[in-house]
Amino acid sequence: MSNLADKVACLHAPMDKALLRALSLILGFFHVAMLMWDPEAYAFAIGGFNSVISPLMIWAICSSMVYGLSFKPYSWYWQILFSPYFSLSILSYLTYAYFY
């Protein structure tokens, strides 16, 4: 691995916990299930789909699956793209918007 990949891996080291991975998977599966069950009700609950929310939601769900299944990308740019910091913050926001 390159030096930059090692630095990004060190930034992700605090997130390398089984409970956080399980939370990531649960949040990802929850939002996929709600979206598939009734897309109109889900869209209404989170404030609607737009050109910002939709891509971020797809990206966060995909990233949560990569992170939750313990896949560790080799290159630094894939590590940043599938960062659990981004995915968990987006999914947490969507969960908050869904319930409140």
Side-chain angles (χ1 to χ4, degrees):
M1 277 199 290
S2 70
N3 191 24
L4 189 55
D6 290 335
K7 289 180 182 180
V8 174
C10 286
L11 287 174
H12 289 148
M15 298 293 286
D16 198 17
K17 309 265 187 286
L19 286 175
L20 288 174
R21 291 185 189 279
L23 175 66
S24 178
L25 274 176
I26 289 168
L27 286 176
F29 284 134
F30 170 75
H31 287 285
V32 168
M34 293 299 104
L35 180 64
M36 293 302 202
W37 185 261
D38 191 359
E40 290 178 13
Y42 181 76
F44 180 75
I46 65 169
F49 294 127
N50 58 38
S51 60
V52 175
I53 294 293
S54 298
L56 285 178
M57 182 183 65
I58 293 169
W59 175 42
I61 290 171
C62 293
S63 294
S64 73
M65 298 302 155
V66 168
Y67 167 68
L69 294 174
S70 299
F71 178 73
K72 295 186 180 180
Y74 179 73
S75 300
W76 65 270
Y77 47 87
W78 293 114
Q79 291 177 9
I80 292 173
L81 182 67
F82 295 119
S83 175
Y85 293 112
F86 297 131
S87 65
L88 283 174
S89 61
I90 294 167
L91 289 176
S92 297
Y93 167 75
L94 289 172
T95 304
Y96 178 80
Y98 182 78
F99 286 112
Y100 298 105

